[in-house]
Amino acid sequence: MDGTQWSSGADEARAQLTAALTAVGRGDRAALRQVYDMTAAKLFGICLRICGERASAEDVLQTVYIKVWERAGQFDAARASPITWLATIARNGAIDWRRSVSGRTVRDTLPEQAAFAVADDSPLADQSLVAAEEGEQLHRCLGELEDRTRLCIRAAFFDGSTYAELATRENVPLGTMKSWIRRGLLRLKDCLGDG
Amino acid sequence: MDDHLTPTEERDALAAELALGLLEGQTRADALRLSLSDPAFAAQVAAWEAKLAPLHDEWADAQPGAAVWSGIERQLADAPTDKVTAIEMRLRRWRAGALLSGAVAAALAFVLITQPVPTPTPAAPQLAVARIESDAAGPLVLARYNQSNGLMQLRIHGFEPGTLAPELWVIPEGGTPVSLGQIGHAGEAEMTMPPPHRLLMTEGATLAITMEPVSKTPHPAPSSVAVASGKIITI
């Protein structure tokens, strides 16, 4: 699975993934392997970035695909793109781990700011797994926020940072950080419009 | 710093915080519980996940080791035996049953749906009832609980059979969800509640149902949002 494969036939890839995920929902194990082959690199990227080290990220990734197996019957292609549905499960799984006792223990032993390759603030013109228009609108609206607010929201999304971690990082009181982000999120919502 | 958010904005900000993963500790537990008991809040969280979804384009790919897939396969290979045991266990705990007769169920539905509530005779054992439902025309479970002997009876409608099973939770006001075990997809079921759980069946507590992986034992915490919920009313 690589980026070029997606960009050369994004719609076709999406349709294939939707079909495979739907088959998983019917209990088709071969289809789960297909979903894994199509998405493991993407979902592992998510787990690795948020967990911060390979062994834990691999454990989390395993539980993510078990959840996919168990929940695929609930996937509704009319409501979400398959890759968004999968990425959300992976990100939530990694954040659950990071908030757990074992996650916090492991994280405490990691060097600060472990270097992983997602830029702090650089929207990529990427592989259109997600509808391009929605992406443009979100990036435009994020761009209207104050720089520090946008960077903190991005850090929360990509690093799985908590309010407390962001406040420490920016060296501001917790209340200030909450206020920045809450106001930023509500402005973001206004900009995106309801729906 | 006081931002003077309206209650509506406050609730929406909480949904955004949960979707973004900013919360930890008790605040996170409270927000997760709210998303379980309140389908409207759960929908707000999902809406925020959808708003932020374009960011998923930006993750850098990374290759997991081959052990990950073998681990998944191993877990799946264990699954069928688990499922059979789980069903047996479930049947043992929740006897699909004749005891909630059609007439009783009809009377229960009458109590739940119509006004006024019939005056209970003083000698009658105290009953608690709940109508566990979703906003949409989704699943519906009618629950009837006899406080004198701990017998809980259910009438279950409208769950799609699939890889997940409906699991029933009781959520005390201001407390965390406690599993009452998995129930069937349709029909009637009953269970004598273990004494510690009886204390939770009070007026104002919420009964909720989430779809969970089939398990022979009740889960310690829900893994997904409630598909149906309702308040307990004592009569």
Side-chain angles (χ1 to χ4, degrees):
Chain A
M1 183 66 269
D2 63 22
T4 52
Q5 199 177 331
W6 281 111
S7 55
S8 63
D11 289 345
E12 196 185 323
R14 180 175 164 151
Q16 267 177 16
L17 186 54
T18 300
L21 205 47
T22 307
V24 173
R26 291 191 302 262
D28 180 341
R29 284 190 193 175
L32 184 68
R33 175 68 211 225
Q34 205 186 341
V35 170
Y36 183 88
D37 287 342
M38 293 178 84
T39 58
K42 172 106 188 162
L43 301 197
F44 187 59
I46 295 174
C47 297
L48 186 56
R49 171 75 187 252
I50 292 178
C51 296
E53 53 102 28
R54 281 190 74 90
S56 303
E58 290 188 340
D59 288 348
V60 171
L61 186 67
Q62 196 170 313
T63 63
V64 164
Y65 280 99
I66 297 296
K67 281 182 195 159
V68 169
W69 169 252
E70 291 166 348
R71 297 186 194 166
Q74 294 171 306
F75 169 69
D76 179 356
R79 288 181 53 198
S81 89
I83 196 67
T84 294
W85 190 81
L86 292 162
T88 302
I89 292 178
R91 183 173 174 276
N92 287 341
I95 286 182
D96 285 345
W97 176 84
R98 210 172 174 303
R99 301 283 176 269
S100 70
V101 174
S102 55
R104 291 200 304 264
T105 313
V106 171
R107 295 276 313 182
D108 285 347
T109 67
L110 296 180
E112 230 176 291
Q113 301 285 334
F116 289 105
V118 174
D120 270 350
D121 194 17
S122 61
L124 306 177
D126 192 44
Q127 307 105 323
S128 344
L129 296 183
V130 183
E133 279 171 37
E134 288 166 27
E136 265 172 42
Q137 199 194 2
L138 179 67
H139 289 303
R140 180 174 57 72
C141 292
L142 279 170
E144 287 178 9
L145 302 179
E146 283 181 64
D147 288 352
R148 64 185 187 194
T149 306
R150 180 179 61 255
L151 292 177
C152 288
I153 290 174
R154 288 180 59 87
F157 189 89
F158 290 112
D159 297 329
S161 304
T162 61
Y163 273 136
E165 289 165 344
L166 292 170
T168 306
R169 195 178 99 165
E170 296 294 313
N171 200 22
V172 297
L174 185 59
T176 306
M177 179 53 68
K178 278 193 172 186
S179 173
W180 287 359
I181 291 190
R182 290 190 137 204
R183 273 183 297 182
L185 288 168
L186 294 177
R187 278 194 57 194
L188 188 64
K189 186 184 178 186
D190 282 345
C191 174
L192 290 169
D194 260 336
Chain B
M1 198 178 294
D2 189 351
D3 284 327
H4 298 296
L5 297 185
T6 66
T8 312
E9 286 173 333
E10 188 72 36
R11 178 57 66 97
D12 196 42
L14 183 67
E17 288 169 337
L18 187 60
L20 202 47
L22 287 157
L23 307 175
E24 58 189 323
Q26 191 59 45
T27 323
R28 175 172 148 87
D30 289 345
L32 285 170
R33 189 176 62 230
L34 184 62
S35 71
L36 177 82
S37 62
D38 181 348
F41 180 70
Q44 280 178 295
V45 176
W48 271 105
E49 284 176 343
K51 283 187 213 308
L52 297 168
L55 292 177
H56 284 306
D57 262 2
E58 295 179 40
W59 299 102
D61 284 3
Q63 286 301 334
V68 174
W69 176 254
S70 8
I72 294 168
E73 272 194 315
R74 218 171 21 249
Q75 285 201 41
L76 291 184
D78 293 344
T81 27
D82 271 348
K83 276 184 185 170
V84 172
T85 324
I87 289 163
E88 283 171 359
M89 292 292 291
R90 190 173 75 206
L91 291 179
R92 222 165 289 149
R93 291 197 68 200
W94 283 103
R95 269 179 292 139
L99 285 174
L100 184 64
S101 71
V104 174
L108 172 58
F110 176 80
V111 168
L112 290 167
I113 294 160
T114 64
Q115 294 294 333
V117 174
T119 319
T121 53
Q126 203 186 5
L127 291 180
V129 295
R131 183 181 168 88
I132 310 165
E133 62 189 337
S134 57
D135 283 343
L140 169 67
V141 176
L142 301 179
R144 178 186 194 272
Y145 174 65
N146 184 333
Q147 306 207 352
S148 62
N149 61 8
L151 184 68
M152 172 95 118
Q153 297 169 311
L154 303 179
R155 216 174 147 76
I156 307 156
H157 303 271
F159 288 97
E160 297 287 328
T163 52
L164 296 180
E167 188 155 342
L168 181 63
W169 305 82
V170 57
I171 310 167
E173 272 186 298
T176 45
V178 175
S179 177
L180 299 177
Q182 297 192 329
I183 62 176
H185 285 94
E188 292 159 7
E190 63 164 43
M191 176 185 70
T192 301
M193 294 268 279
H197 292 73
R198 296 183 190 182
L199 301 172
L200 304 174
M201 298 294 294
T202 54
E203 172 97 22
T206 299
L207 289 176
I209 292 173
T210 62
M211 301 305 291
E212 301 290 339
V214 173
S215 165
K216 54 193 137 191
T217 53
H219 286 100
S223 71
S224 59
V225 301
V227 294
S229 66
K231 293 265 187 208
I232 295 175
I233 302 162
T234 51
I235 54 175

